[in-house]
Amino acid sequence: MASFRLSTRRLGQTGSALVLLTPFLIVYSAFLVFPFFRGIWISLHDWNLLEVAFNPDAKQFVGLRNFERIMWGRDIVWSATAIPWIQMGSAVVLIGVFVLDRARRISRSTAILIGVVALVFFIACGFHPAEGGRWYDRRFWPTVGNTILFVALTVPGVTIVALVLAALLNRESRMMAIFRTVFFLSQVLSVTVVTLIWQIMFSPRQGLVANVMELFGGTPIHWLTDEGFAMAAIAITTVWWSLGVAMILFLAGLQDISRDIYEAAALDNARGLRAFRYITLPNLKRTITLVVVLQIIMHFQVFGQSHLMTGGGPDGSTQTLVRYIYQTGFRDSDLGRATAMAIFLFIIMGGFSIVQFILGRGEK
Protein backbone atom coordinates (compact mmCIF):
# COMPACT_ATOMS: atom_id res chain seq x y z
CA MET A 1 0.00 0.00 0.00
CA ALA A 2 2.80 2.38 0.94
CA SER A 3 4.68 1.61 -2.29
CA PHE A 4 1.50 2.25 -4.29
CA ARG A 5 1.09 5.67 -2.64
CA LEU A 6 4.75 6.46 -3.31
CA SER A 7 4.38 5.53 -6.99
CA THR A 8 1.20 7.63 -7.26
CA ARG A 9 2.99 10.59 -5.69
CA ARG A 10 5.91 10.26 -8.11
CA LEU A 11 3.53 10.07 -11.08
CA GLY A 12 1.78 13.18 -9.81
CA GLN A 13 5.10 15.01 -9.50
CA THR A 14 6.12 13.90 -12.99
CA GLY A 15 2.79 15.07 -14.43
CA SER A 16 3.09 18.43 -12.68
CA ALA A 17 6.63 18.84 -14.01
CA LEU A 18 5.49 18.07 -17.57
CA VAL A 19 2.64 20.56 -17.31
CA LEU A 20 5.00 23.27 -16.09
CA LEU A 21 7.62 22.45 -18.73
CA THR A 22 5.23 22.25 -21.67
CA PRO A 23 5.10 26.03 -22.48
CA PHE A 24 8.89 26.21 -22.42
CA LEU A 25 9.27 23.07 -24.54
CA ILE A 26 6.85 24.43 -27.13
CA VAL A 27 8.71 27.73 -27.43
CA TYR A 28 12.11 26.01 -27.34
CA SER A 29 11.12 23.56 -30.07
CA ALA A 30 9.55 26.25 -32.26
CA PHE A 31 12.46 28.70 -32.10
CA LEU A 32 15.51 26.46 -31.61
CA VAL A 33 14.97 22.75 -32.30
CA PHE A 34 12.91 23.12 -35.49
CA PRO A 35 15.19 25.85 -37.01
CA PHE A 36 18.23 23.68 -36.25
CA PHE A 37 16.93 20.66 -38.18
CA ARG A 38 15.52 22.97 -40.84
CA GLY A 39 19.01 24.41 -41.24
CA ILE A 40 20.47 20.94 -41.74
CA TRP A 41 17.83 20.31 -44.42
CA ILE A 42 18.65 23.59 -46.17
CA SER A 43 22.39 22.79 -46.10
CA LEU A 44 21.68 19.70 -48.21
CA HIS A 45 20.16 21.78 -51.02
CA ASP A 46 21.23 24.25 -53.66
CA TRP A 47 19.04 26.95 -52.13
CA ASN A 48 18.98 30.41 -53.70
CA LEU A 49 17.29 32.70 -51.19
CA LEU A 50 15.53 34.95 -53.71
CA GLU A 51 14.48 32.21 -56.12
CA VAL A 52 13.01 29.98 -53.41
CA ALA A 53 11.18 32.97 -51.87
CA PHE A 54 9.17 33.33 -55.12
CA ASN A 55 9.18 29.67 -56.15
CA PRO A 56 9.45 27.04 -53.36
CA ASP A 57 10.26 24.36 -55.93
CA ALA A 58 13.41 26.19 -57.12
CA LYS A 59 15.63 24.40 -54.58
CA GLN A 60 17.59 21.31 -55.62
CA PHE A 61 18.82 18.49 -53.38
CA VAL A 62 22.61 18.17 -53.64
CA GLY A 63 23.47 16.11 -50.54
CA LEU A 64 26.83 16.99 -49.00
CA ARG A 65 28.04 19.03 -51.97
CA ASN A 66 27.79 22.34 -50.05
CA PHE A 67 30.10 20.96 -47.36
CA GLU A 68 32.50 19.72 -50.05
CA ARG A 69 32.44 23.16 -51.72
CA ILE A 70 33.44 24.99 -48.54
CA MET A 71 35.90 22.50 -47.02
CA TRP A 72 37.56 20.68 -49.91
CA GLY A 73 39.13 21.36 -53.28
CA ARG A 74 41.00 19.90 -56.23
CA ASP A 75 44.31 18.00 -55.81
CA ILE A 76 44.36 18.29 -52.01
CA VAL A 77 47.44 16.76 -50.33
CA TRP A 78 48.71 16.52 -46.74
CA SER A 79 51.95 17.83 -45.28
CA ALA A 80 53.33 18.11 -41.74
CA THR A 81 54.45 21.70 -42.46
CA ALA A 82 51.45 23.12 -44.32
CA ILE A 83 50.73 25.65 -41.53
CA PRO A 84 53.93 25.41 -39.45
CA TRP A 85 52.96 27.65 -36.52
CA ILE A 86 49.72 25.77 -35.80
CA GLN A 87 51.12 22.30 -36.43
CA MET A 88 54.25 23.01 -34.40
CA GLY A 89 52.09 24.37 -31.57
CA SER A 90 49.91 21.25 -31.71
CA ALA A 91 53.01 19.03 -31.55
CA VAL A 92 54.30 20.98 -28.53
CA VAL A 93 50.92 20.55 -26.82
CA LEU A 94 50.99 16.80 -27.51
CA ILE A 95 54.47 16.49 -26.00
CA GLY A 96 53.51 18.66 -23.02
CA VAL A 97 50.38 16.62 -22.33
CA PHE A 98 52.40 13.39 -22.47
CA VAL A 99 54.96 14.77 -20.00
CA LEU A 100 52.28 16.07 -17.61
CA ASP A 101 50.43 12.77 -17.79
CA ARG A 102 53.58 10.80 -16.99
CA ALA A 103 54.26 13.14 -14.06
CA ARG A 104 50.61 12.71 -12.95
CA ARG A 105 50.05 16.46 -12.95
CA ILE A 106 46.79 16.10 -14.91
CA SER A 107 44.16 13.36 -15.01
CA ARG A 108 44.27 10.69 -17.69
CA SER A 109 40.89 11.74 -19.17
CA THR A 110 42.04 15.37 -19.43
CA ALA A 111 45.31 14.29 -21.07
CA ILE A 112 43.47 12.14 -23.62
CA LEU A 113 40.99 14.92 -24.41
CA ILE A 114 43.62 17.63 -24.90
CA GLY A 115 45.81 15.21 -26.85
CA VAL A 116 42.96 14.30 -29.22
CA VAL A 117 42.15 17.99 -29.83
CA ALA A 118 45.82 18.79 -30.53
CA LEU A 119 46.12 15.79 -32.85
CA VAL A 120 42.99 16.83 -34.76
CA PHE A 121 44.46 20.32 -35.23
CA PHE A 122 47.79 18.85 -36.36
CA ILE A 123 46.14 16.60 -38.94
CA ALA A 124 43.45 19.03 -40.14
CA CYS A 125 45.92 21.87 -40.70
CA GLY A 126 48.13 19.64 -42.86
CA PHE A 127 45.71 19.50 -45.82
CA HIS A 128 46.45 21.95 -48.63
CA PRO A 129 46.24 22.11 -52.45
CA ALA A 130 49.13 20.62 -54.36
CA GLU A 131 50.81 22.56 -57.16
CA GLY A 132 48.08 23.35 -59.65
CA GLY A 133 45.34 22.50 -57.17
CA ARG A 134 42.97 24.89 -55.40
CA TRP A 135 40.27 25.07 -52.76
CA TYR A 136 36.76 25.20 -54.16
CA ASP A 137 36.06 28.14 -51.83
CA ARG A 138 39.32 30.08 -51.55
CA ARG A 139 38.00 32.41 -48.85
CA PHE A 140 36.57 29.87 -46.39
CA TRP A 141 39.72 28.53 -44.72
CA PRO A 142 41.48 31.94 -44.56
CA THR A 143 38.30 33.22 -42.90
CA VAL A 144 38.34 30.31 -40.43
CA GLY A 145 42.02 31.12 -39.78
CA ASN A 146 41.18 34.78 -39.11
CA THR A 147 38.46 33.71 -36.65
CA ILE A 148 40.82 31.32 -34.83
CA LEU A 149 43.45 34.07 -34.64
CA PHE A 150 40.86 36.46 -33.20
CA VAL A 151 39.83 33.88 -30.58
CA ALA A 152 43.50 33.17 -29.76
CA LEU A 153 44.06 36.90 -29.12
CA THR A 154 40.90 37.71 -27.19
CA VAL A 155 40.27 34.68 -24.96
CA PRO A 156 43.63 34.77 -23.10
CA GLY A 157 43.39 38.58 -22.95
CA VAL A 158 39.91 38.61 -21.43
CA THR A 159 40.69 35.74 -19.03
CA ILE A 160 43.96 37.16 -17.69
CA VAL A 161 42.83 40.80 -17.40
CA ALA A 162 39.47 39.85 -15.84
CA LEU A 163 41.20 37.55 -13.32
CA VAL A 164 43.70 40.24 -12.32
CA LEU A 165 40.94 42.85 -11.96
CA ALA A 166 38.79 40.47 -9.92
CA ALA A 167 41.71 39.73 -7.58
CA LEU A 168 42.40 43.47 -7.12
CA LEU A 169 38.72 44.31 -6.56
CA ASN A 170 37.97 41.41 -4.21
CA ARG A 171 37.65 43.67 -1.18
CA GLU A 172 34.58 44.85 0.69
CA SER A 173 34.57 48.64 0.49
CA ARG A 174 32.55 51.36 -1.16
CA MET A 175 35.45 52.34 -3.43
CA MET A 176 35.86 48.75 -4.65
CA ALA A 177 32.13 48.59 -5.43
CA ILE A 178 32.47 51.78 -7.50
CA PHE A 179 35.44 50.34 -9.40
CA ARG A 180 33.52 47.11 -10.08
CA THR A 181 30.69 49.13 -11.56
CA VAL A 182 33.08 51.19 -13.70
CA PHE A 183 34.79 48.12 -15.14
CA PHE A 184 31.46 46.40 -15.79
CA LEU A 185 29.92 49.38 -17.61
CA SER A 186 31.57 48.53 -20.93
CA GLN A 187 29.59 45.27 -20.99
CA VAL A 188 26.22 47.04 -21.23
CA LEU A 189 27.19 49.09 -24.30
CA SER A 190 26.01 47.99 -27.74
CA VAL A 191 28.52 46.84 -30.33
CA THR A 192 27.79 49.98 -32.39
CA VAL A 193 28.74 52.30 -29.53
CA VAL A 194 31.82 50.24 -28.64
CA THR A 195 33.15 50.19 -32.21
CA LEU A 196 32.50 53.93 -32.62
CA ILE A 197 34.46 54.69 -29.43
CA TRP A 198 37.43 52.60 -30.52
CA GLN A 199 37.40 53.85 -34.10
CA ILE A 200 37.96 57.30 -32.64
CA MET A 201 40.58 55.94 -30.21
CA PHE A 202 42.52 54.27 -33.05
CA SER A 203 42.28 57.25 -35.43
CA PRO A 204 45.83 58.11 -36.62
CA ARG A 205 44.99 61.84 -36.59
CA GLN A 206 43.05 62.71 -33.44
CA GLY A 207 42.86 59.35 -31.63
CA LEU A 208 44.04 58.92 -28.04
CA VAL A 209 46.36 56.05 -28.98
CA ALA A 210 48.06 58.16 -31.68
CA ASN A 211 48.43 61.12 -29.29
CA VAL A 212 50.05 58.93 -26.63
CA MET A 213 52.46 57.46 -29.19
CA GLU A 214 53.41 60.93 -30.43
CA LEU A 215 53.93 62.05 -26.85
CA PHE A 216 56.59 59.36 -26.45
CA GLY A 217 58.16 60.09 -29.84
CA GLY A 218 56.49 57.30 -31.81
CA THR A 219 54.81 57.39 -35.20
CA PRO A 220 51.00 56.98 -35.28
CA ILE A 221 49.86 53.63 -36.63
CA HIS A 222 46.97 53.27 -39.07
CA TRP A 223 45.43 50.54 -36.95
CA LEU A 224 42.29 49.86 -38.95
CA THR A 225 43.81 50.02 -42.44
CA ASP A 226 47.08 48.15 -41.83
CA GLU A 227 46.94 44.37 -42.34
CA GLY A 228 49.41 43.79 -39.52
CA PHE A 229 47.42 45.73 -36.91
CA ALA A 230 43.74 45.58 -37.92
CA MET A 231 43.00 42.26 -36.19
CA ALA A 232 44.90 43.39 -33.10
CA ALA A 233 42.76 46.55 -32.98
CA ILE A 234 39.55 44.50 -33.12
CA ALA A 235 40.91 42.14 -30.44
CA ILE A 236 41.77 45.06 -28.11
CA THR A 237 38.28 46.47 -28.60
CA THR A 238 36.69 43.11 -27.82
CA VAL A 239 38.81 42.52 -24.71
CA TRP A 240 37.75 45.92 -23.34
CA TRP A 241 34.11 45.21 -24.16
CA SER A 242 34.02 41.65 -22.79
CA LEU A 243 35.70 42.11 -19.40
CA GLY A 244 32.54 42.64 -17.36
CA VAL A 245 30.95 39.18 -17.24
CA ALA A 246 34.29 37.37 -16.90
CA MET A 247 35.28 39.67 -14.02
CA ILE A 248 31.98 39.03 -12.21
CA LEU A 249 32.39 35.26 -12.60
CA PHE A 250 35.90 35.44 -11.17
CA LEU A 251 34.70 37.63 -8.29
CA ALA A 252 32.05 35.05 -7.47
CA GLY A 253 34.68 32.30 -7.55
CA LEU A 254 37.06 34.28 -5.33
CA GLN A 255 34.37 35.03 -2.76
CA ASP A 256 33.54 31.32 -2.63
CA ILE A 257 37.06 30.52 -1.35
CA SER A 258 37.10 30.34 2.44
CA ARG A 259 39.21 32.98 4.19
CA ASP A 260 40.33 30.30 6.64
CA ILE A 261 42.47 28.76 3.90
CA TYR A 262 44.37 32.02 3.39
CA GLU A 263 44.79 32.49 7.14
CA ALA A 264 46.20 28.97 7.51
CA ALA A 265 48.51 29.55 4.54
CA ALA A 266 49.72 32.85 6.03
CA LEU A 267 51.03 30.91 9.02
CA ASP A 268 53.29 29.05 6.58
CA ASN A 269 54.46 32.32 4.95
CA ALA A 270 52.22 31.88 1.88
CA ARG A 271 51.10 35.41 1.12
CA GLY A 272 50.68 37.62 -1.93
CA LEU A 273 51.73 35.93 -5.16
CA ARG A 274 52.48 32.61 -3.45
CA ALA A 275 48.97 32.48 -2.00
CA PHE A 276 47.57 33.45 -5.40
CA ARG A 277 49.51 30.67 -7.11
CA TYR A 278 48.98 27.84 -4.63
CA ILE A 279 45.52 28.68 -3.24
CA THR A 280 43.60 31.03 -5.53
CA LEU A 281 44.38 29.49 -8.92
CA PRO A 282 43.72 25.84 -7.91
CA ASN A 283 40.40 26.82 -6.32
CA LEU A 284 39.42 28.82 -9.42
CA LYS A 285 40.17 26.02 -11.88
CA ARG A 286 36.51 25.31 -12.61
CA THR A 287 35.68 29.01 -12.95
CA ILE A 288 38.64 29.53 -15.30
CA THR A 289 37.47 26.61 -17.45
CA LEU A 290 33.94 28.03 -17.57
CA VAL A 291 35.14 31.53 -18.49
CA VAL A 292 37.52 30.25 -21.19
CA VAL A 293 34.88 28.04 -22.84
CA LEU A 294 32.20 30.76 -22.71
CA GLN A 295 34.62 33.28 -24.23
CA ILE A 296 35.63 30.84 -26.98
CA ILE A 297 31.99 30.19 -27.90
CA MET A 298 31.11 33.90 -27.90
CA HIS A 299 34.17 35.07 -29.79
CA PHE A 300 33.84 32.44 -32.52
CA GLN A 301 30.58 34.27 -33.29
CA VAL A 302 32.25 37.68 -33.71
CA PHE A 303 30.49 39.81 -36.31
CA GLY A 304 29.82 43.42 -35.32
CA GLN A 305 33.39 44.48 -34.58
CA SER A 306 34.73 43.23 -37.91
CA HIS A 307 31.69 44.48 -39.85
CA LEU A 308 31.63 47.99 -38.37
CA MET A 309 35.31 48.74 -37.73
CA THR A 310 37.04 47.38 -40.85
CA GLY A 311 34.36 45.86 -43.10
CA GLY A 312 36.40 42.65 -43.14
CA GLY A 313 39.45 44.45 -44.54
CA PRO A 314 42.09 45.36 -45.28
CA ASP A 315 42.32 42.69 -47.99
CA GLY A 316 40.14 40.28 -46.01
CA SER A 317 42.53 40.14 -43.03
CA THR A 318 39.71 40.72 -40.51
CA GLN A 319 36.98 38.78 -42.31
CA THR A 320 35.34 36.47 -39.75
CA LEU A 321 33.30 33.33 -40.19
CA VAL A 322 29.93 34.75 -39.09
CA ARG A 323 30.39 37.79 -41.34
CA TYR A 324 31.24 35.50 -44.26
CA ILE A 325 28.13 33.39 -43.52
CA TYR A 326 26.05 36.58 -43.50
CA GLN A 327 27.48 37.74 -46.83
CA THR A 328 27.07 34.32 -48.46
CA GLY A 329 23.47 33.94 -47.31
CA PHE A 330 22.09 37.47 -47.71
CA ARG A 331 24.37 39.21 -50.21
CA ASP A 332 25.04 36.25 -52.52
CA SER A 333 21.65 34.57 -51.77
CA ASP A 334 23.43 31.19 -51.46
CA LEU A 335 21.55 30.00 -48.39
CA GLY A 336 22.55 26.34 -48.76
CA ARG A 337 26.27 27.07 -48.60
CA ALA A 338 25.82 29.66 -45.83
CA THR A 339 23.90 27.13 -43.72
CA ALA A 340 26.61 24.52 -44.26
CA MET A 341 29.16 27.00 -42.89
CA ALA A 342 26.86 27.74 -39.95
CA ILE A 343 26.69 24.02 -39.13
CA PHE A 344 30.49 23.86 -39.29
CA LEU A 345 30.62 26.72 -36.77
CA PHE A 346 28.04 24.95 -34.58
CA ILE A 347 30.20 21.80 -34.53
CA ILE A 348 33.22 23.84 -33.41
CA MET A 349 31.29 25.51 -30.56
CA GLY A 350 29.65 22.20 -29.61
CA GLY A 351 33.10 20.62 -29.43
CA PHE A 352 34.34 23.25 -26.99
CA SER A 353 31.20 22.80 -24.89
CA ILE A 354 31.89 19.06 -24.68
CA VAL A 355 35.49 19.82 -23.67
CA GLN A 356 34.25 22.07 -20.86
CA PHE A 357 31.80 19.40 -19.68
CA ILE A 358 34.45 16.66 -19.63
CA LEU A 359 37.07 18.83 -17.91
CA GLY A 360 34.61 19.91 -15.22
CA ARG A 361 32.88 16.55 -14.79
CA GLY A 362 35.21 15.15 -12.14
CA GLU A 363 35.37 18.33 -10.03
CA LYS A 364 33.27 18.95 -6.93
Side-chain angles (χ1 to χ4, degrees), residues 163 249-262 265 274-290 363-364:
L163 179 57
L249 289 172
F250 281 130
L251 275 170
L254 288 169
Q255 292 173 4
D256 195 44
I257 302 173
S258 174
R259 304 305 303 176
D260 296 339
I261 302 176
Y262 290 102
R274 291 188 66 189
F276 184 79
R277 177 182 175 183
Y278 293 107
I279 297 174
T280 305
L281 287 180
N283 282 280
L284 283 180
K285 185 167 70 170
R286 184 169 186 144
T287 306
I288 292 172
T289 303
L290 175 64
E363 299 182 25
K364 297 181 181 179

Side-chain angles (χ1 to χ4, degrees), residues 197-214:
I197 291 171
W198 282 92
Q199 277 180 316
I200 297 172
M201 293 273 284
F202 285 126
S203 171
R205 295 179 179 270
Q206 73 272 19
L208 177 63
V209 177
N211 290 334
V212 170
M213 293 186 68
E214 287 183 340

